[in-house]
Amino acid sequence: MNKIGIAGLVGGAILAAMAGVANAEISERTIRVGSTLTPEHPNGIAVEAMAKCAADRTGGKMTIQGIHNAALGGDQEMSQAARAGTLDMFMTTTSPLAGLEPKLGVFDLPFLFNNPEEALAVLDGEFGEYLSGLMPQHGLVNLGYWDYGVRQITNSKRPIKAVEDLSGLRMRVMQNNVFIDSFSALGANPIPMSWGEVFPALETGAIDGQENPILTIADAQLADVQDYVSKTNHVYSAVMLMYSGPLWEKLSAEEQAVVTECAAEATKVQRSEMAGRVDAAYKKVIEAGMEVNEVEPAVIDAMRAKLASVYEKHSQSVGADVVERLNAAIAKVRK
């Protein structure tokens, strides 16, 4: 098994190498980590934790540098750079990678999970290991799953209190067919767009709304250009912390062990930060003037009904076996 194959599983073999890391096997190097979000987001806080961990374990030889605010491009641009070996690490939700690995599209199917805790339990189990094992063939190594939260709808026109309220809204969605088809089925006009373009497009009125977890909504100061947040909880988003496959192979076993161990520590920090900041994020957007509304269960049921054809279509494109495997994992954690 090559280095990527081992790393893809992020298994105990690499962690075992942490015992007595030899500084002779650690080179002076700077590892760049790309993110579309701000350094204040839990993802940014976690990168700082990972950097401190790496510096401590290598006597300062390994520097991990976060590069935020989409300075290196959107998710797809960073993915391409990592696969080409010109970017060390990046983080992305699973959705932008579904074009690369269709099985990741399973997480874009609407209304799968009851809450983030349920989703993380699935990702920390066999199903998460299965998805990680798919990435080395695409030149990427997954070092952990971070919590991005459940997605909500914002717009500048009206609160979403019925399915019909989505009709005609020009909604930014990720460059992902499941999201495009889902919002089309709900009556909106979905417009695929990279995250770096969203704020100016909202500001100029080129689009009416977008959908993201509340921390991203608050952190990106969308209250400046949006009036309403509707709590649809339509999709849970997980973040994958990716290392470039070609560059991973250039690390020594000891360096791989440091990065893997520090990524695991960063995962704990990121999840803790997320869990503690959701209520504060809602308070922040309300204080900034946004109106937040709960969406009634009957309206969610109506959305589910309209999305049934999307679920059926994309279950086939993702793979019926993958959907079945995920549903079995969800059932297991619900026991």
Side-chain angles (χ1 to χ4, degrees):
M1 183 181 288
N2 62 28
K3 289 181 181 177
I4 291 183
I6 295 172
L9 299 177
V10 193
I14 291 178
L15 293 178
M18 278 302 297
V21 171
N23 260 352
E25 299 298 330
I26 304 292
S27 300
E28 296 274 357
R29 67 171 69 248
T30 296
I31 295 171
R32 298 185 306 153
V33 186
S35 170
T36 60
L37 303 175
T38 69
E40 294 79 24
H41 187 275
N43 290 9
I45 302 299
V47 170
E48 287 303 308
M50 185 163 51
K52 183 179 185 305
C53 171
D56 289 347
R57 281 159 173 74
T58 64
K61 285 189 173 183
M62 184 180 289
T63 299
I64 293 180
Q65 177 188 10
I67 302 176
H68 308 280
N69 295 315
L72 298 177
D75 297 303
Q76 292 181 343
E77 289 85 359
M78 290 191 296
S79 171
Q80 291 166 1
R83 295 173 68 209
T86 59
L87 174 63
D88 304 279
M89 296 179 71
F90 71 105
M91 62 197 74
T92 177
T93 57
T94 55
S95 301
L97 295 178
L100 180 67
E101 175 46 70
K103 292 180 175 62
L104 291 178
V106 71
F107 283 109
D108 298 324
L109 296 174
F111 301 111
L112 286 175
F113 299 103
N114 291 330
N115 51 60
E117 293 76 22
E118 188 175 272
L120 290 171
V122 168
L123 289 167
D124 287 341
E126 293 179 2
F127 190 78
E129 291 180 5
Y130 165 68
L131 291 182
S132 291
L134 298 174
M135 301 317 298
Q137 64 186 315
H138 302 297
L140 296 169
V141 176
N142 181 36
L143 294 174
Y145 294 100
W146 290 3
D147 179 17
Y148 198 55
V150 286
R151 304 181 78 90
Q152 319 296 5
I153 292 174
T154 74
N155 79 95
S156 58
K157 298 295 185 183
R158 52 188 173 267
I160 307 304
K161 296 184 177 180
V163 178
E164 292 74 22
D165 290 327
L166 284 162
S167 180
L169 287 182
R170 295 166 297 173
M171 290 289 301
R172 176 267 176 176
V173 297
M174 288 181 285
Q175 294 150 312
N176 175 294
N177 288 333
V178 182
F179 278 81
I180 293 169
D181 289 349
S182 292
F183 278 88
S184 291
L186 293 173
N189 178 16
I191 301 173
M193 186 181 294
S194 67
W195 178 240
E197 301 174 86
V198 174
F199 191 96
L202 291 169
E203 191 171 34
T204 61
I207 55 176
D208 301 314
Q210 62 84 58
E211 48 82 53
N212 253 301
I214 189 60
L215 261 73
T216 301
I217 294 166
D219 209 37
Q221 299 181 327
L222 294 191
D224 292 347
V225 289
Q226 296 277 264
D227 298 317
Y228 306 100
V229 180
S230 299
K231 297 172 74 171
T232 49
N233 299 321
H234 51 281
V235 167
Y236 173 80
S237 285
V239 169
M240 298 178 85
L241 179 63
M242 294 291 197
Y243 207 102
S244 162
L247 296 181
W248 182 263
E249 287 194 335
K250 294 182 179 180
L251 298 179
S252 68
E254 289 78 9
E255 289 170 328
Q256 289 181 352
V258 170
V259 172
T260 302
E261 174 78 3
C262 292
E265 288 200 15
T267 296
K268 295 176 185 177
V269 170
Q270 195 274 345
R271 293 183 183 185
S272 176
E273 286 283 333
M274 282 292 297
R277 291 169 65 172
V278 171
D279 289 344
Y282 276 112
K283 183 179 179 181
K284 178 180 178 179
V285 300
I286 290 170
E287 289 177 347
M290 294 188 85
E291 178 184 318
V292 177
N293 73 285
E294 301 282 345
V295 180
E296 295 294 329
V299 177
I300 299 298
D301 288 342
M303 289 183 177
R304 288 179 188 270
K306 284 186 172 291
L307 292 169
S309 61
V310 175
Y311 190 96
E312 181 178 353
K313 172 185 175 181
H314 288 285
S315 291
Q316 296 304 312
S317 62
V318 166
D321 58 324
V322 180
V323 176
E324 182 178 345
R325 191 168 185 163
L326 175 57
N327 284 331
I330 294 172
K332 185 175 180 180
V333 302
R334 285 178 180 170
K335 287 184 179 178

